[in-house]
């Protein structure tokens, strides 16, 4: 099994860096609500759109309400990507 | 030049923006008048007739678009370029959304599609976003990174019982790619992975633990 960090995490990291948003491990593990409160809803939405852009289809509606953290969301994206690559 | 560069119909993953047509008039009027959308937009407490509302929408607007949800083609709002100044190459963006679509994230795509269209179509130098104090807080970290604060008029607008501050933010042409790249995100290359992980710090972002 590969030890590589999933590529959607890199995508998220690069996006946050490009936007000048400080991040750390807690960024990925924090409850979604705390993350949104921290970076603001527009920035969080842009991050989602950025990640979603590499998926074959948009995130299912309501997904955000079902995941606990950004890490979980990225896991979903990685599974989706591995099953159905663009 | 690709057709998609000049057509005013812009299709995203979640929404499509397109010029408003007569069939949209009553829907937009309903959204604006029978919810808080109109008051949050430019109506404040006014309740114009549909004809007056339409005149208000199109007056001083160089581009007025309906926002349509892709999955069911419902019109969920409007976005427009208002008070365009061709000499100085700036203008204002105004928008309203049906209340249930606010705070959902994906409708932001309509703004990005629109920004892409008006900056290319009108050769804008900057586009103004205006916000009243209660909503201004919601912009969060996008302020200063993508939207630049340009001014604040204190106690400027009367909003149902109190005077609130009026913030002026600007999106500059050079910052537009930060937004429009979201419309064409693609997987990063392996060579970028290493570079990206190099900067991971254990704890940088301060998130409330409560």
């Amino acid at each position: 099994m590969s030890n590589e960090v999933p590529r959607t995490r890199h995508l998220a990291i690069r996006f946050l860096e490009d936007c000048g948003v400080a991040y750390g491990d807690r960024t990925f593990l924090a409850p979604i609500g705390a993350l949104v409160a921290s970076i603001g809803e527009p920035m969080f939405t842009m991050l989602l759109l950025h990640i979603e852009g590499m998926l074959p289809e948009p995130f299912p509606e309501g997904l955000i309400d079902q995941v606990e953290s950004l890490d979980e969301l990225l896991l979903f994206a990685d599974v989706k990507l591995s099953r159905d690559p663009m | 030049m690709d057709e998609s560069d000049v057509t005013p119909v812009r299709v995203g993953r979640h929404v499509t923006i397109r010029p408003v047509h007569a069939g949209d008039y009553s829907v937009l009027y309903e959204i604006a008048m029978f919810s808080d959308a109109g008051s949050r937009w430019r109506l404040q407490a006014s309740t114009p007739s549909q004809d007056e509302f339409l005149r208000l929408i199109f007056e001083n607007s160089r581009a007025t678009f309906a926002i349509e949800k892709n999955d069911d083609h419902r019109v969920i709002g409007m976005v427009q370029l208002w008070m365009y100044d061709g000499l100085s190459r700036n203008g204002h963006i105004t928008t309203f959304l049906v209340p249930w679509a606010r705070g959902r994230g994906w409708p932001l795509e309509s703004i990005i599609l629109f920004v892409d269209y008006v900056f290319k179509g009108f050769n804008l130098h900057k586009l103004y976003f205006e916000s009243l104090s209660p909503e201004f807080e919601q912009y969060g970290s996008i302020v200063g990174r993508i939207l630049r604060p340009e001014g604040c008029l204190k106690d400027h607008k009367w909003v149902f019982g109190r005077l609130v501050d009026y913030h002026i933010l600007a999106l500059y042409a050079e910052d537009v790619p930060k937004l429009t790249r979201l419309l064409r995100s693609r997987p990063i290359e392996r060579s970028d992975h290493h570079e990206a992980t190099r900067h991971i710090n254990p704890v940088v972002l301060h998130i409330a633990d409560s």
Side-chain angles (χ1 to χ4, degrees), chain A residues 16 18-22 39 43, chain B residues 140-149 175 178:
Chain A
L16 292 170
D18 286 353
C19 290
V21 177
I39 67 175
M43 187 64 81
Chain B
S141 58
I142 204 171
V143 175
R145 296 186 166 93
I146 292 171
L147 298 179
R148 305 184 194 181
D175 294 327
K178 292 178 187 169

Side-chain angles (χ1 to χ4, degrees), chain B residues 5-16:
Chain B
D5 287 332
V6 296
T7 177
V9 179
R10 302 286 168 128
V11 182
R13 287 195 138 193
H14 301 274
V15 296
T16 295

Side-chain angles (χ1 to χ4, degrees), chain B residues 1 15 28 39 42 80 91 102 134 144 149 175 178 197 201 204:
Chain B
M1 185 181 285
V15 296
L28 293 175
S39 285
R42 289 197 272 132
Q80 68 177 173
R102 289 202 296 263
D175 294 327
K178 292 178 187 169
T197 47
N201 299 316
V204 179

Side-chain angles (χ1 to χ4, degrees), chain B residues 48-61:
Chain B
S49 68
Q50 186 166 319
D51 285 348
E52 289 168 333
F53 172 73
L54 292 173
R55 191 159 51 248
L56 193 64
I57 272 200
F58 290 111
E59 208 168 49
N60 294 321
S61 171

Side-chain angles (χ1 to χ4, degrees), chain B residues 29-99:
Chain B
Y29 184 69
E30 288 269 334
I31 294 172
M33 297 305 304
F34 297 95
S35 74
D36 62 350
S39 285
R40 287 170 179 271
W41 179 60
R42 289 197 272 132
L43 295 181
Q44 295 182 307
S46 305
T47 58
S49 68
Q50 186 166 319
D51 285 348
E52 289 168 333
F53 172 73
L54 292 173
R55 191 159 51 248
L56 193 64
I57 272 200
F58 290 111
E59 208 168 49
N60 294 321
S61 171
R62 288 295 295 270
T64 302
F65 285 52
I67 304 167
E68 199 177 275
K69 200 165 179 284
N70 284 349
D71 56 3
D72 57 12
H73 304 291
R74 263 191 297 177
V75 171
I76 60 165
M78 184 275 317
V79 58
Q80 68 177 173
L81 174 65
W82 189 52
M83 304 288 281
Y84 168 67
D85 179 342
L87 182 63
S88 309
R89 295 168 47 220
N90 63 47
H92 299 240
I93 186 171
T94 81
T95 185
F96 63 74
L97 280 176
V98 69

